Short mmCIF file of all heavy atoms in Angstrom, two decimals:
data_model
loop_
_atom_site.label_atom_id
_atom_site.label_comp_id
_atom_site.label_asym_id
_atom_site.label_seq_id
_atom_site.Cartn_x
_atom_site.Cartn_y
_atom_site.Cartn_z
N GLN A 17 61.71 42.04 -24.65
CA GLN A 17 61.75 41.75 -26.15
C GLN A 17 60.46 40.97 -26.57
O GLN A 17 60.00 40.18 -25.85
CB GLN A 17 63.04 41.02 -26.51
CG GLN A 17 64.27 41.90 -26.20
CD GLN A 17 65.55 41.13 -26.52
OE1 GLN A 17 65.44 39.96 -27.06
NE2 GLN A 17 66.62 41.70 -26.42
N ASP A 37 35.97 41.26 -26.52
CA ASP A 37 36.71 42.57 -26.69
C ASP A 37 36.08 43.68 -25.82
O ASP A 37 36.75 44.54 -25.28
CB ASP A 37 36.75 42.96 -28.11
CG ASP A 37 37.50 41.98 -28.87
OD1 ASP A 37 38.37 41.32 -28.29
OD2 ASP A 37 37.29 41.84 -30.12
N ASP A 46 37.30 51.73 -16.87
CA ASP A 46 37.13 51.82 -15.46
C ASP A 46 38.47 52.02 -14.79
O ASP A 46 38.49 52.71 -13.71
CB ASP A 46 36.48 50.45 -14.89
CG ASP A 46 35.11 50.25 -15.49
OD1 ASP A 46 34.50 51.25 -15.81
OD2 ASP A 46 34.71 49.03 -15.50
N GLY A 73 49.71 43.52 -23.68
CA GLY A 73 49.84 43.47 -22.27
C GLY A 73 49.95 44.82 -21.66
O GLY A 73 49.98 44.93 -20.45
N MET A 92 33.94 43.58 -12.84
CA MET A 92 34.14 42.46 -13.87
C MET A 92 32.87 41.58 -13.89
O MET A 92 32.38 41.07 -12.88
CB MET A 92 35.36 41.59 -13.58
CG MET A 92 36.66 42.43 -13.59
SD MET A 92 38.08 41.42 -13.25
CE MET A 92 38.00 40.33 -14.63
N TYR A 150 -22.39 19.51 30.40
CA TYR A 150 -23.58 20.43 30.10
C TYR A 150 -24.42 19.88 29.01
O TYR A 150 -25.67 19.91 29.13
CB TYR A 150 -22.99 21.77 29.71
CG TYR A 150 -23.99 22.71 29.16
CD1 TYR A 150 -25.04 23.28 29.82
CD2 TYR A 150 -23.92 22.94 27.74
CE1 TYR A 150 -26.00 24.14 29.27
CE2 TYR A 150 -24.89 23.75 27.16
CZ TYR A 150 -25.85 24.36 27.89
OH TYR A 150 -26.82 25.11 27.28
N CYS A 152 -24.84 16.74 27.94
CA CYS A 152 -25.47 15.56 28.36
C CYS A 152 -26.68 15.85 29.30
O CYS A 152 -27.72 15.30 29.17
CB CYS A 152 -24.54 14.52 29.02
SG CYS A 152 -23.28 13.90 27.85
N GLN A 194 -31.66 -18.10 50.84
CA GLN A 194 -30.84 -17.68 52.09
C GLN A 194 -31.66 -17.84 53.41
O GLN A 194 -31.18 -18.27 54.44
CB GLN A 194 -30.27 -16.35 51.96
CG GLN A 194 -29.20 -16.29 50.85
CD GLN A 194 -28.74 -14.78 50.63
OE1 GLN A 194 -29.43 -13.83 51.05
NE2 GLN A 194 -27.65 -14.61 49.91
N SER A 218 -30.81 -41.29 78.10
CA SER A 218 -30.84 -42.81 77.86
C SER A 218 -29.85 -43.53 78.81
O SER A 218 -30.05 -44.65 79.23
CB SER A 218 -30.55 -43.14 76.40
OG SER A 218 -30.38 -44.47 76.20
N GLU A 280 -24.67 10.76 25.15
CA GLU A 280 -23.65 11.63 24.50
C GLU A 280 -23.88 11.69 23.01
O GLU A 280 -23.77 12.83 22.41
CB GLU A 280 -22.26 11.17 24.79
CG GLU A 280 -21.86 11.24 26.18
CD GLU A 280 -20.43 10.72 26.45
OE1 GLU A 280 -19.84 10.11 25.51
OE2 GLU A 280 -19.99 10.83 27.63
N LEU A 340 -28.44 -22.26 35.66
CA LEU A 340 -29.69 -22.53 36.36
C LEU A 340 -30.24 -23.94 36.16
O LEU A 340 -30.87 -24.48 37.05
CB LEU A 340 -30.68 -21.49 35.88
CG LEU A 340 -30.49 -20.03 36.41
CD1 LEU A 340 -31.59 -19.12 35.90
CD2 LEU A 340 -30.42 -20.06 37.98
N GLN A 387 -0.38 -28.63 54.04
CA GLN A 387 0.89 -28.96 53.40
C GLN A 387 1.50 -30.22 53.88
O GLN A 387 2.20 -30.86 53.14
CB GLN A 387 1.89 -27.77 53.51
CG GLN A 387 1.43 -26.45 52.90
CD GLN A 387 2.48 -25.40 53.11
OE1 GLN A 387 3.57 -25.58 53.74
NE2 GLN A 387 2.17 -24.25 52.46
#
Side-chain angles (χ1 to χ4, degrees):
Q17 296 180 358
D37 295 336
D46 295 336
M92 299 181 64
Y150 165 73
C152 294
Q194 290 173 345
S218 175
E280 291 179 354
L340 288 181
Q387 294 181 356

